[in-house]
Amino acid sequence: MKHMDNDGCRKIVIVPMWDHAYDIISYMTMFVPIAVAVVVGVLGWAYQATKPPPPKICGSPDGPLVTSPRVRLSDGRHLAYRETGVSKEEAKHKIIVIHGFDSSKDFNLPASQELIEELGIYFLSFDRAGYGDSDPNPKRSVKSEAFDIQELADKLQIGSKFYVLGLSLGAYPIWGCLKYIPNRLSGAALVVPFVHYWWPCFPSQLAKEAFKTLPVQDQWVFRVAYHAPWLCYWWMTQKWFPSLSIMTGNMSIFSQHDLEMLKKLSEIPSAGQEKIRQQGVHESLHRDIMAGYSKWEFDPLDINNPFPDNEGSVHFWQGCQDKIIPYKLSRYISEKLPWIQYHEVPERGHLLIFDKKTCEDILRGLLLG
C-alpha cells in the first residue's frame, strides 16, 4: 500500500500476504456455516413439502372406524366391498364395478330393478386402494389394481369368470385386467375411459392436440404425475398454481348435459361420500392419478383379443361432448383394436352413465352383446 510520509516522500508499505489470507479465512469461517445452514434449511423444507403425511388407516387407533364389510388380501391389506342386485347364488351375470376418481363403492348405477332382475345381475363394487374403507397401497399400480380385483372375486367366491365395468379413471384397472387376468373375464365395459397421453401407441400429433384441449392446470398435474411422481403431493397441495380442475371447482370442464346431470344428482342423497378421502387425500386421490399416469409395463395396442371365439366382448362408451376425456383418443384405440366395440353417444358428456337409458344400454351391451 502506498502513502506519503511527513517529508512528502513516497513510501511503500507491504502488508504480508498471510494477513490477507487470515482475513479471507475469517470471512469464510463465518460464511460457510451460514451457507450450510441455508442449504440444509432449504433441503429440509423441500423434503417436508414433498413428503405426504402418514395415512389414517381405518381401524387403527388414530384412524376412522371400519364401517363396511372387507376382505383381507394376501399382502395383508383390506378391501371394502358392497354387494347389490340379485344374490350371487341366483345371478346369471356377475359384474365387478370399478369406481372413478374421487368416488367409492357407494355410487349407484341408475339401472331399474326390473332390468336387474330380468338379466339376473349381481353387482360387486369395492373401494379401490386408499379410498373409503380400503387400506392404502403405497405400491399401487395398474397391475396391482387388476390383481386386487381378482383376489376380491376369489375371496367372495363369485366364480372363475366375471364381468368388469370401469368408469373414467376406474378404467385403467380394466386395462390391467385385459393384460394380466384376461382368462378371468366374461366381458368388459370401459365407460368414458381414462387415456394416458404418453402411451406410445398414440401418434404424437394426435396426443398433443388432445392434450392441449385440457385446462392448462390439468396438463401440469398430468405432466408431474408422469415425469416426477415424487413431486405429486407438493404440486397437488401448493397454493402458487391452480391444481386439478375437478378439485378446484372449475365447472368449465363439464358439458351442458353434465351440468344438468350434476344438478339432478345433487338432489339425491348419496351415502358414503364423506368417507371417500377419510384416510388422506394423498392415499386416495393423488396415488390414483400417479398410478394411472405412471410408466406402464405395456402398451394397450399390444393386448390380444381376450375373446377370440366371441365368448365375450369389450366395449368403449364415450360421450361426444366429453370435455374431460377427448373422444378422439378413445376412437383411435378402438380403430386399432377391432375387437373393441366402440359406442359414441351424441350430446352426452363425461357423466353419461348416470343417464338411466344410457346406463341400461351399457349393461345390455356388456351382457347380451
Side-chain angles (χ1 to χ4, degrees), residues 36-110:
V36 170
V38 170
V39 171
V40 169
V42 170
L43 291 176
W45 171 84
Y47 175 75
Q48 291 298 326
T50 57
K51 181 181 178 183
K56 298 178 180 179
I57 298 176
C58 288
S60 66
D62 298 326
L65 296 175
V66 176
T67 57
S68 304
R70 307 198 301 178
V71 297
R72 182 181 174 88
L73 303 179
S74 57
D75 64 1
R77 290 183 296 116
H78 295 86
L79 280 187
Y81 66 91
R82 177 187 177 217
E83 298 170 290
T84 55
V86 304
S87 69
K88 60 186 174 187
E89 292 78 18
E90 300 174 349
K92 299 175 185 176
H93 305 100
K94 298 166 184 176
I95 304 177
I96 298 180
V97 181
I98 305 161
H99 68 79
F101 180 75
D102 203 9
S103 186
S104 76
K105 67 183 184 309
D106 296 309
F107 91 94
N108 293 308
L109 294 174

Side-chain angles (χ1 to χ4, degrees), residues 128-199:
R128 295 194 286 124
Y131 281 102
D133 287 339
S134 289
D135 291 340
N137 182 4
K139 297 180 180 180
R140 188 172 176 183
S141 67
V142 177
K143 190 174 187 176
S144 72
E145 295 269 300
F147 285 112
D148 280 359
I149 291 169
Q150 176 175 250
E151 196 166 357
L152 174 67
D154 291 341
K155 292 288 184 181
L156 294 179
Q157 300 180 346
I158 69 170
S160 60
K161 296 273 190 176
F162 48 83
Y163 297 87
V164 287
L165 187 157
L167 176 64
S168 190
L169 196 59
Y172 79 75
I174 295 188
W175 281 114
C177 291
L178 292 169
K179 172 64 177 179
Y180 299 112
I181 58 167
N183 59 305
R184 301 300 304 273
L185 302 181
S186 297
L190 297 85
V191 183
V192 291
F194 154 92
V195 290
H196 195 314
Y197 298 94
W198 290 273
W199 277 337

